[in-house]
Amino acid sequence: MGNAYHRQNSFTGGMITSSMLARNDIAKYASGGKNLDNIIVEVHGSASKRFGFKIIQELNPSKTHRLMSFVYATGDSYLLAFSAGSNGCDFKAFRDDMLVYSKDYFLPYKDIELYKINVTQSNDVLFMVHHNHAPRELVRLAHDNWETKTIDFEPKIDPPATINASPSGHSGGKSLKVKYAVSAIDAAGVESLPIKTNYVNIRDPWVQGAKVTISWEAVADADRYNIYKDTRGYFGFIGNVDKETLSFTDDHIEEASDDSPKSLDVPFKESCYPATIGIHQQRMTFANTQEDGQNIFLTASGTFSDFTVSSPSKDDDSIEFKVDSRQGNEVKYILPLENMVVLTSGTEIMVTGNQGNVLTPTAINAKIQSYWGCHDVPPIICGKSILFVGRYGKKVRDLMYALANDGYNGGDLSVLASDLFDSPIKDWCYCQQPNSIIWVMLENGKLLSLTYLKEHEVFAWCQHTVKGEIKSLAAVPNLEYEDLYILIEYQGKLLLERMGRDYENIYLDHATLLEDTNSLESSPLIGKLAVVDNKQFVDEIDKNETLDNNVTGYCGVKYTAIIETLNPSLSDNGQEAILRKRLSKVAIKLQNSCCLKVQSNTSEVNDVLMPTADDNYTLYSQTENVDFLGTMSDEATVKIFSDLPYPFKILSITKEIEIGQ
């Protein structure tokens, strides 16, 4: 019946689930793949072989581990490794792949608690919460000096240690009992709790010349002092003085009824600690205590640990409110975007204020946006989008503010690749550069990736087959992009590994650097290892063998990168589903590639750009045409793969298809 032609110049549809292989009516089918293994889908649409992983250090395999990133500023970042057993948690900090700090039993968390810790960061401090422990801080004092302590919820400035009130000119007549209070205020505007006098008797009514002199002891960090008076059963403001003045004269000043001193209202106590933490509008946010999973608590404005309140309330007081829904859904995460976004186990909620959208004790508006529910895995903020794991752990959704409906909406990002989620998601991380990739670790140790660029409707899933079981992962930025780190159990060892960088050209997993040596003893692995000398693949050699020549390069474990296309859509009426077809030729547009194998669904394997015995390592950017001698079948797919430690990148695949009856 003749030939048909089909070209695929983008892979941004990602890997398509098996139950949708007949859905050539959806837009993503045209840019999807049947199998994308150890492949990076780039935001421009091309598909390339991922870098390998380089061994950084061995860790104790008998403990439960969790990796996190700690980013102070561009170029000033750390990989944190928490290793917990039944008696506490060890801590390690790595900087530029080097261990800079290590301390055993540094934190109180146990192994079963490690992945329930919720964190947020501000500058040099990582704030940590868990239901079973008081909220605490992990503080970087220097590269090699870290400390941890529980959060002190008292104001950061003390009140005066002593106070005295001395009336004069109040003798005779009817008396009135009066109290005074003084608070200290630091340069940042943080006000202490007040110190109060006992009742003193004054004449009622006051007479001319009568007064009360209030004096107090200096406070070291004070910038000024506020003075309050109580004649009506509550305190009101009557004046303030600078830090040099340690007394104040009340000559019948009427107190302000709308300005009172602070009182402390810490909502947490032993066995009632929060499990959720965040930062919003210069306030620390806590939620999900064991007593009530729906209550949210915000510290006083401009502070991260001050739970003081005033009577009557002020806009900068600490805040407490409840996010009600149809069920008792506990608050999982609180995120600061255009508005406060609260993710619970059953709902997604937008919280707004009034003027300027600022939250105050009297301006809290909570509006449910949807009823999907969030898992324990921390959400990721990607630009203006929130990505979160659905309540059962096997769905990934996004959420973004839409001005048109003044709310948040999004979609299911995993529906086209549901086969990949044969186990719930355990953890994930985001590498913004160069290809905006979310790396996902499943509970069974598998590794997935999602290339995500909302504004261009790019969301492409790939699977990554790494020998071993991945236990944790984290993304740590350097000066140009984010490094992906994994903890992987392989050959009975627990290995901390980093994905290779551009200049390293590592296309082996569990790789170890060899520096002018004829021995592989520097590798912690056993068995056969692939050896690359100055970018040239040498051979797979047993760990205990001696090399014929000294090598400058890497040894490690080979992996196979695979791109397998979908059956092409050749018509709008579904005719190709009835007709037999044979893939007769394919044109593959390559960039910086070599050492490929190409196979149609009915043909033998063809070698492409394989070096001859006297060839040096060479990468090619060209179009390669491959002819096939396969037979007629129901499909016309092609598989392109490589198990040698060299890169490849595919820009497009053009098929010539012979159509039969």
Side-chain angles (χ1 to χ4, degrees), residues 491-537:
Q491 292 186 350
K493 302 177 184 295
L494 187 65
L495 305 172
L496 174 62
E497 303 187 7
R498 171 180 54 76
M499 181 171 275
R501 296 168 177 165
D502 289 341
Y503 63 86
E504 292 175 320
N505 288 294
I506 300 174
Y507 291 93
L508 297 170
D509 284 339
H510 315 306
T512 301
L513 180 64
L514 302 173
E515 296 185 285
D516 195 26
T517 178
N518 65 351
S519 169
L520 306 184
E521 288 302 315
S522 59
S523 172
L525 305 182
I526 58 175
K528 284 189 174 295
L529 300 175
V531 179
V532 175
D533 180 17
N534 194 26
K535 300 182 182 179
Q536 304 294 318
F537 175 54

Side-chain angles (χ1 to χ4, degrees), residues 160-459:
T162 60
I163 187 172
N164 183 59
S166 301
S168 62
H170 287 280
S171 60
K174 185 180 177 182
S175 66
L176 175 70
K177 291 184 178 294
V178 178
K179 269 187 176 182
Y180 291 90
V182 174
S183 63
I185 303 172
D186 66 16
V190 176
E191 185 174 0
S192 75
L193 295 175
I195 184 172
K196 302 174 183 178
T197 67
N198 295 322
Y199 281 111
V200 296
N201 292 317
I202 63 171
R203 183 169 176 173
D204 184 22
W206 284 58
V207 295
Q208 186 174 4
K211 61 183 179 180
V212 178
T213 301
I214 306 100
S215 59
W216 57 89
E217 190 175 333
V219 177
D221 298 323
D223 181 68
R224 59 191 187 276
Y225 300 94
N226 278 357
I227 299 91
Y228 302 90
K229 181 167 69 172
D230 173 11
T231 61
R232 306 167 183 169
Y234 58 86
F235 282 98
F237 177 80
I238 59 172
N240 60 22
V241 295
D242 62 33
K243 63 181 179 181
E244 306 297 334
T245 305
L246 300 178
S247 65
F248 182 85
T249 298
D250 174 19
D251 53 2
H252 197 196
I253 302 172
E254 184 175 356
E255 62 266 40
S257 61
D258 60 350
D259 192 354
S260 62
K262 302 285 187 178
S263 60
L264 191 61
D265 185 22
V266 179
F268 318 127
K269 56 183 182 292
E270 190 172 354
S271 75
C272 184
Y273 297 126
T276 302
I277 192 170
I279 296 173
H280 185 74
Q281 294 181 352
Q282 304 302 310
R283 300 174 186 260
M284 188 69 74
T285 62
F286 298 88
N288 189 12
T289 64
Q290 289 164 314
E291 286 186 352
D292 195 328
Q294 295 181 301
N295 272 15
I296 296 178
F297 310 93
L298 285 76
T299 59
S301 181
T303 76
F304 287 164
S305 59
D306 184 348
F307 275 103
T308 55
V309 294
S310 307
S311 179
S313 66
K314 299 179 183 177
D315 286 351
D316 62 353
D317 282 351
S318 61
I319 302 171
E320 178 180 349
F321 66 97
K322 188 170 187 172
V323 285
D324 284 318
S325 59
R326 295 185 300 178
Q327 302 170 342
N329 300 304
E330 69 270 20
V331 175
K332 294 289 189 179
Y333 294 96
I334 302 171
L335 304 172
L337 283 178
E338 181 77 14
N339 308 285
M340 175 188 283
V341 178
V342 178
L343 303 180
T344 79
S345 58
T347 56
E348 294 73 53
I349 300 171
M350 177 177 70
V351 181
T352 60
N354 288 343
Q355 293 184 352
N357 203 17
V358 176
L359 301 185
T360 70
T362 57
I364 300 291
N365 305 293
K367 183 179 179 182
I368 294 176
Q369 306 295 293
S370 51
Y371 286 91
W372 297 109
C374 179
H375 195 260
D376 290 334
V377 177
I380 289 173
I381 296 180
C382 181
K384 290 189 174 183
S385 297
I386 298 170
L387 276 70
F388 67 97
V389 179
R391 73 174 80 182
Y392 302 114
K394 292 188 176 183
K395 293 284 187 181
V396 175
R397 302 191 62 88
D398 65 356
L399 201 62
M400 188 173 182
Y401 180 77
L403 185 62
N405 61 356
D406 189 25
Y408 286 81
N409 52 42
D412 184 347
L413 302 179
S414 49
V415 64
L416 298 182
S418 55
D419 282 355
L420 297 178
F421 297 90
D422 56 351
S423 177
I425 296 171
K426 185 175 182 180
D427 205 357
W428 59 357
C429 62
Y430 176 47
C431 293
Q432 182 180 12
Q433 292 293 334
N435 285 301
S436 190
I437 294 177
I438 291 98
W439 292 93
V440 180
M441 178 189 74
L442 305 184
E443 287 186 2
N444 61 11
K446 290 183 180 179
L447 181 66
L448 309 177
S449 67
L450 169 64
T451 305
Y452 178 84
L453 199 62
K454 178 73 172 182
E455 58 265 36
H456 294 289
E457 290 299 314
V458 174
F459 51 96

Side-chain angles (χ1 to χ4, degrees), residues 54 56 94-99 483 485 498 501 504:
K54 174 184 176 181
I56 303 300
F94 296 85
R95 180 178 167 87
D96 296 328
D97 294 348
M98 301 296 294
L99 180 65
D483 284 315
Y485 289 85
R498 171 180 54 76
R501 296 168 177 165
E504 292 175 320

